[in-house]
Amino acid sequence: MEHVATGEGRVALVTGVTGYIGGRLVPELLAAGFTVRAMARRPELLRDRPWIDDVEVVQADASDADQVAAALEGVDVAYYLIHAMSAGGHFSSTDRRTARTFARAAAARRVGRIVYLGGLHPEDEELSTHLESRREVGEILLDGPVPATVLQAAVIIGSGSASFEMMRYLTERLPVMVCPSWVSNRIQPIAVRDVLRYLVGSASMPAQVNRTFDIGGPDVLTYLDMMRGYARVAGLPKRTVLPVKVMSPKLSSHWVGLITPVPKQIARPLVESLVHEVVCKEHDIARYVPDPPGGLIPFSRAVRLALQRVQEANVATRWSSASVPGAPSDPLPSDPGWAGGNLYEDDRTTVVDAPPRVLWQVLEGIGGEQGWYSWPMAWAVRGVMDRFSGGPGLRRGRRDPRHLMIGDAVDWWRVEERQQDRLLRLRAEMRVPGLAWLDLSIETDPVGRTLFRQRARFHPKGLAGQAYWAGISPFHGVVFGGMQRNVKRAAEAAARGERPASPVPAPTPRGVDVADRATLVR
């Protein structure tokens, strides 16, 4: 990407670095010559990022004034990329409070500029709660003593963006669609590359500039135009869309949640923004961040670039980089008998006739299109149940089919720990009455044999949690036992030079080298 600003060693603080835009902005700032400081509430989630050794990482909770002030020390430009996507009723007040905390801390530390990415919205219309919150955050930052650049974008087109994934799956899976009337509203989408270009360029605006800027690509389209345009680029037959007027945003978000990998909690604010006509009212940003020589990226090329990234498995960040609203984020306690109470455990180990690195390749490729190596129907049913209860289910998939990073989503799991050739720890984000983890680890026994250890742990919450564990425990032998045998089979086939085995749904007799035990650790 052509850079429109030169960092010249200036310090840029980036918040929201575990999210979709923040994770892509960091390498662009580095390439432009900025010294980057990445602020995260849980810095350990950044450990596997390819740019981690080139940035300074600071631990800070955006709601803690002292921590934010410390993170902003010596910063020239601060990127505020924090959004609450919760469907609950308190996220607006949280957004306002966090923005005020950040603005005051930036003023106290004499930060030169704050850059914020908000949502494009119409004037003089009643906005959705989420879009109104984005507008309020922009106003709070503009009203503060630090000059602010507030960029307002509509639909962002890029590999892995929630907007792109929603459009992609709706178009691919439904050749005939019954859609709400908002599919006829005009939208000005923008390529993620142009968004990043504007974000980097905003760092060099003159000190007297303190305002919003509408940003959009060169095309003004309806959502129907966008879906049909996607179909053309993707080589799909023409899609038939039948608009109806009875589908509310709430109902639409449930529909999107069932058809696409995007859960309804994230789909709803996206749908609510599409209810409005969102077209740029000005292009004043070009005075400070000139258009590239070839012009802004048109919609069709943005789709083509995004699909190319997906096909090459080269998606840097994905909408699922951020946690599902309401999903647990508690790390696994190091002490099994910690004060939090009981920890149920299902622990299984088997000998695998394959080198650890080969077994690791199988484990790191688990989930997504590859599946979970046992009883796919059972996993699919559980995934559907989770989607209906508001969880991510299995449709979220993976960012990359072969490699994982800490913080990656894998279906209804989140990668909490990854140690090359040793350990993959997944934390469940499905809706369950408790906290759950699945460890897939590789060990070596005293005689040098490779051991595959699979350990599921569950911390119940209340009687519902106790009942949940009691209800699912009888099925562990089938699901987890089958998973262990089929992972073993796949790794041994790969070690022999054969194509790794696909997940096998049917159970097979348990080998003598499998040790099973389900325990309650106190």
Side-chain angles (χ1 to χ4, degrees):
M1 186 179 78
E2 177 195 0
H3 294 101
V4 292
T6 303
E8 298 177 339
R10 285 181 293 164
V11 178
L13 176 85
V14 182
T15 64
V17 286
T18 59
Y20 177 73
I21 293 293
R24 295 193 178 204
L25 178 60
V26 168
E28 298 298 337
L29 289 169
L30 289 170
F34 287 86
T35 297
V36 178
R37 183 179 298 167
M39 184 181 114
R41 186 169 60 88
R42 295 183 59 194
E44 66 272 16
L45 296 180
L46 303 176
R47 196 179 71 200
D48 291 335
R49 302 300 173 103
W51 39 258
I52 189 64
D53 293 332
D54 300 319
V55 305
E56 176 190 359
V57 178
V58 293
Q59 192 280 329
D61 189 317
S63 63
D64 188 306
D66 293 335
Q67 291 181 2
V68 173
L72 287 167
E73 185 68 46
V75 167
D76 297 294
V77 57
Y79 287 89
Y80 189 76
L81 303 174
I82 298 172
H83 295 307
M85 291 292 282
S86 171
H90 303 294
F91 76 90
S92 294
S93 59
T94 300
D95 273 351
R96 288 192 294 269
R97 184 172 59 254
T98 304
R100 291 189 182 110
T101 297
F102 194 86
R104 286 194 291 265
R109 289 296 182 266
R110 300 183 182 278
V111 172
R113 176 165 298 278
I114 296 174
V115 181
Y116 171 66
L117 178 61
L120 188 61
H121 60 272
E123 302 293 339
D124 304 322
E125 287 187 28
E126 184 178 353
L127 303 177
S128 69
T129 308
H130 286 85
L131 205 52
E132 176 64 22
S133 180
R134 303 294 180 264
R135 186 194 64 78
E136 285 184 338
V137 168
E139 288 191 350
I140 289 170
L141 298 177
L142 290 170
D143 290 342
V146 177
T149 300
V150 175
L151 304 179
Q152 300 182 146
V155 173
I156 297 177
I157 304 298
S159 60
S161 79
S163 297
F164 177 73
E165 294 284 285
M166 187 173 88
M167 177 185 65
R168 171 190 170 198
Y169 280 92
L170 286 175
T171 307
E172 289 184 351
R173 292 180 173 175
L174 298 174
V176 178
M177 292 174 274
V178 177
C179 295
S181 57
W182 51 255
V183 298
S184 298
N185 291 343
R186 294 194 308 155
I187 304 164
Q188 194 163 350
I190 183 170
V192 67
R193 297 189 185 197
D194 285 330
V195 173
L196 295 172
R197 188 173 180 277
Y198 284 136
L199 285 168
V200 175
S202 294
S204 299
M205 286 187 176
Q208 67 270 19
V209 176
N210 182 64
R211 55 164 291 184
T212 65
F213 293 93
D214 293 351
I215 59 173
D219 301 306
V220 176
L221 308 164
T222 66
Y223 201 79
L224 177 56
D225 292 333
M226 291 168 58
M227 288 191 289
R228 287 175 171 166
Y230 175 90
R232 284 194 298 272
V233 174
L236 301 172
K238 184 178 180 180
R239 270 29 193 169
T240 301
V241 177
L242 307 174
V244 296
K245 296 183 178 181
V246 295
M247 196 175 292
S248 67
K250 182 177 180 180
L251 185 59
S252 295
S253 64
H254 281 281
W255 169 64
V256 169
L258 290 175
I259 299 299
T260 80
V262 181
K264 66 177 185 292
Q265 298 98 321
I266 294 176
R268 184 164 181 177
L270 297 177
V271 169
E272 287 175 340
S273 67
L274 297 173
V275 170
H276 306 284
E277 188 165 273
V278 279
V279 177
C280 295
K281 297 174 290 295
E282 41 81 12
H283 188 52
D284 297 347
I285 187 74
R287 300 177 190 171
Y288 308 99
V289 187
D291 292 346
L296 298 173
I297 299 173
F299 173 78
S300 59
R301 181 164 176 252
V303 170
R304 193 172 295 109
L305 290 169
L307 284 176
Q308 181 180 342
R309 292 276 188 175
V310 171
Q311 292 162 0
E312 294 174 351
N314 189 22
V315 180
T317 60
R318 197 164 174 253
W319 63 270
S320 56
S321 300
S323 296
V324 171
S329 59
D330 311 59
L332 181 67
S334 57
D335 179 9
W338 91 110
N342 294 331
L343 191 67
Y344 290 103
E345 187 173 280
D346 183 279
D347 197 340
R348 302 166 188 271
T349 302
T350 186
V351 175
V352 178
D353 187 17
R357 61 177 178 79
V358 175
L359 175 57
W360 175 256
Q361 290 171 359
V362 175
L363 296 181
E364 197 176 20
I366 206 163
E369 294 296 323
Q370 178 64 20
W372 292 88
Y373 287 91
S374 77
W375 293 92
M377 182 58 70
W379 285 87
V381 169
R382 184 64 182 88
V384 170
M385 292 170 60
D386 190 54
R387 296 285 288 194
F388 273 102
S389 64
L394 290 178
R395 288 191 181 145
R396 193 165 57 171
R398 301 169 47 114
R399 176 189 59 83
D400 185 293
R402 294 181 296 274
H403 305 293
L404 292 173
M405 299 190 300
I406 292 176
D408 270 357
V410 184
D411 295 323
W412 64 53
W413 306 92
R414 178 80 56 181
V415 179
E416 185 172 275
E417 181 59 79
R418 177 189 177 279
Q419 299 174 15
Q420 181 76 28
D421 296 340
R422 291 184 54 199
L423 171 66
L424 182 64
R425 174 169 297 150
L426 305 174
R427 184 186 71 245
E429 291 188 335
M430 60 182 168
R431 298 304 173 97
V432 292
L435 305 173
W437 296 267
L438 178 63
D439 278 9
L440 306 175
S441 59
I442 301 173
E443 302 173 1
T444 305
D445 69 7
V447 297
R449 297 183 302 177
T450 300
L451 302 178
F452 168 36
R453 186 179 184 186
Q454 178 182 307
R455 184 159 52 160
R457 283 173 277 192
F458 182 70
H459 170 45
K461 288 186 177 179
L463 291 177
Q466 303 280 349
Y468 176 80
W469 179 263
I472 65 171
S473 291
F475 300 99
H476 282 174
V478 175
V479 176
F480 287 143
M483 178 178 173
Q484 188 155 82
R485 291 187 292 275
N486 292 325
V487 165
K488 165 186 168 74
R489 235 188 238 119
E492 291 176 345
R496 293 192 299 268
E498 303 170 8
R499 185 177 179 180
S502 299
V504 180
T508 55
R510 180 175 298 160
V512 296
D513 57 349
V514 178
D516 298 336
R517 65 182 178 90
T519 60
L520 169 61
V521 182
R522 299 185 181 275

